Amino acid sequence: MKLFLKIFILCTALTYMLIFVGALVRVSGSGLGCPEWPKCYGEFYPPLTSLEMEKRLFEEHSTGTKLTEKEAGELAQAFDVRNYNVLKAWIEYVNRLCGVILGLFMILAVILALLKARNHRDILTLTIVCFLLTVANGLIGSKVVTSELNSLIISIHMGLALIQVSIMIYVCIKSWFIVNKIEFENNETTASLKKFAFGLWLLTLVQICFGAVVRSRIEFINKTQPLLNDAEMFPEIGAIKFVHIGLGALIALGTCVLLIKVSKNVEKLYPGIVKAVNFAFLLVVVETAGGLLYKHLGMEAILQLYHMWFGSIYIGLLFYIFTAMTVKADSQFKQSKIIRRVLIIVIFTLSGFGYLTIKASKESEQVPMVAGPLAKMPLFKLTEKDGTEFSNKDIAGKVTIINFMFTTCKDVCPFALTTISKLYKKYDGEERIQFLSFSVDPKNDTVEAIKEYAAKMGITNRQWAICRDDNIDMIKAIANSLLVSSDFPENHSSRIILIDSNGIIRDYYNYNNSDSILVLQKNIEKLIREMPNGP
């Protein structure tokens, strides 16, 4: 029985590790770091570099057949080589690896339970249930990938993981009691507190699942309305946010009530219960503070990570309280201070690791250089909307967003400029960001016409320059250098072009595609961070 207990404690620790890594995958955006299941870009481990991933497109696969050039092209389109992120792929890979290791140890735990715990039907049954939950969650995990992070599947995945870890805590404590021959005592006080703790656990489980839905809703809003800031996003989440906040308030109140009830009956309870309730109260304080920080600091990834981690620790703690509530108050057995110290060290180590991983994940997201380092903004000297000269020196050292337009355009231009206008308003006053529009119709787009058009658009300063030249060949030369159409005016390019502070073309974006605009916004901010005086 002792060997079973040790293995099952290890399984419980691995389950928590899997929950922690899963949360890290979620907040770092690594869920599709490996877009296949169970393989990762054709192999059972992620490529170490983008070059290695490209090679895999032509290498032997499990069938032993080589990919044709056409098949490789289709695979390259499905797996965006240009945006491959090594760190995110390995974060997701570690998540899967933890799942596989947990599965192997759960098989061992079931075998030991059949051999050592046959006389304890509840422990044997729940061990098998935990194994089945491990398998089920593994299958659901594969669906999370193939469904491209469907919010309902993610919520089920999270909920089952928390139910599983709670059952595992129950099995560990029951086995521990059997090994140490702990005595139990049921009375009116412990029975009442036990029901209260279970109700609080159930409420927290529902709250965490609602939290997963809220998180998915935020991700959907970010995807469909990428230019909203946190203040604008809050009303868009819908009524579910109030349910989430309300449940959080109920849990905080319930924990306070539990703390008061336990404090009034200290002499009737096992001392470990008192310590656990105090720790649970501390976690609620931390979680509440985290929720308030969301409002002031925005949905920072590190805050989301700690919020999910501490929530999962809290729910496990509640089930410990529920399970150990009936232990006799005067029970005597050797308690290991080393285990407690190791647990504290592990929690702080994981927290630090999570912070560093998220930081590294952000830093690893490089903006592609689609046309190579030699594709640069050409030299130019044009007339701005206010009649002054505008040239390369005005965009030097700045991240520049470029498009082509003309004021009498009734087709693409109004929609493209509306999208750019939202970016302009978002980054208004940011001196390191420049917006630049080139007029492709010098005959109709006089300085006066452009100035009037800019006023209607709400463009009030030189941060958004609209430039023209009497010689259309000058604008055509700029378009050719930027690798877009110079068939002016009707067939001008509608793409938005991102130029870095060194004048190099970084990427192109579609004005009418929300995913593309979300990537543009992220890439603007990445380029700002890359600058010598970036944040």
Side-chain angles (χ1 to χ4, degrees), residues 51-62:
L51 181 61
E52 182 182 339
M53 190 177 79
E54 290 184 58
K55 287 181 179 179
R56 285 189 184 184
L57 300 181
F58 296 94
E59 285 180 350
E60 298 273 351
H61 279 245
S62 56

Side-chain angles (χ1 to χ4, degrees), residues 383-387 405-407 437-442 444-457 459 464-469:
T383 303
E384 221 271 274
K385 60 182 177 293
D386 58 3
M405 50 76 68
F406 58 104
T407 60
S437 297
F438 293 109
S439 169
V440 299
D441 184 11
N444 295 301
D445 286 355
T446 61
V447 171
E448 292 74 18
I450 290 175
K451 186 175 182 180
E452 183 181 346
Y453 189 83
K456 290 179 182 178
M457 290 288 298
I459 304 170
W464 188 349
I466 302 180
C467 297
R468 68 172 304 280
D469 194 87

Side-chain angles (χ1 to χ4, degrees), residues 120-183:
H120 305 283
R121 305 291 294 182
D122 57 339
I123 290 176
L124 176 59
T125 302
L126 290 176
T127 300
I128 295 171
V129 168
C130 286
F131 170 72
L132 294 176
L133 283 173
T134 301
V135 174
N137 246 345
L139 294 174
I140 293 172
S142 68
K143 293 294 183 183
V144 169
V145 175
T146 57
S147 70
E148 296 189 356
L149 310 182
N150 179 277
S151 60
L152 178 61
I153 297 176
I154 289 174
S155 299
I156 294 171
H157 192 48
M158 185 70 177
L160 282 179
L162 293 172
I163 291 171
Q164 178 182 335
V165 81
S166 298
I167 295 173
M168 294 178 84
I169 287 171
Y170 177 87
V171 172
C172 284
I173 295 169
K174 280 290 186 180
S175 302
W176 177 272
F177 291 161
I178 291 169
V179 169
N180 289 278
K181 299 178 181 179
I182 304 300
E183 297 181 23

Side-chain angles (χ1 to χ4, degrees), residues 204-369:
T204 306
L205 181 65
V206 173
Q207 161 73 336
I208 290 175
C209 290
F210 266 106
V213 175
V214 170
R215 166 71 183 169
S216 297
R217 176 64 183 160
I218 290 169
E219 289 171 349
F220 175 77
I221 294 169
N222 271 329
K223 185 176 181 180
T224 56
Q225 303 179 66
L227 299 179
L228 292 182
N229 57 37
D230 288 325
E232 293 170 330
M233 186 191 300
F234 190 75
E236 297 291 326
I237 297 173
I240 194 170
K241 67 177 179 290
F242 296 114
V243 177
H244 185 61
I245 294 170
L247 286 173
L250 279 176
I251 291 167
L253 179 62
T255 307
C256 291
V257 172
L258 182 62
L259 180 64
I260 293 169
K261 285 177 174 289
V262 167
S263 299
K264 288 181 179 179
N265 295 278
V266 172
E267 68 284 350
K268 299 178 183 178
L269 299 172
Y270 162 59
I273 294 294
V274 180
K275 293 177 182 178
V277 171
N278 287 333
F279 188 35
F281 178 75
L282 177 62
L283 283 175
V284 164
V285 171
V286 172
E287 287 284 81
T288 304
L292 293 173
L293 283 173
Y294 277 161
K295 186 175 180 181
H296 296 286
L297 300 180
M299 302 297 291
E300 287 291 329
I302 191 64
L303 289 178
Q304 294 175 51
L305 180 67
Y306 292 160
H307 196 60
M308 284 190 274
W309 278 7
F310 293 151
S312 61
I313 293 172
Y314 174 80
I315 205 169
L317 203 58
L318 284 177
F319 221 75
Y320 166 79
I321 294 167
F322 165 77
T323 308
M325 187 64 75
T326 53
V327 175
K328 288 187 68 173
D330 58 354
S331 294
Q332 299 292 327
F333 59 92
K334 186 177 180 181
Q335 298 184 28
S336 175
K337 292 182 179 179
I338 294 176
I339 293 177
R340 287 202 299 269
R341 289 170 183 169
V342 168
L343 285 174
I344 291 171
I345 291 171
V346 167
I347 289 172
F348 278 101
T349 301
L350 282 174
S351 298
F353 174 75
Y355 171 77
L356 293 174
T357 303
I358 288 176
K359 183 179 179 183
S361 177
K362 285 185 176 181
E363 291 173 351
S364 69
E365 295 175 344
Q366 296 181 348
V367 182
M369 200 176 290

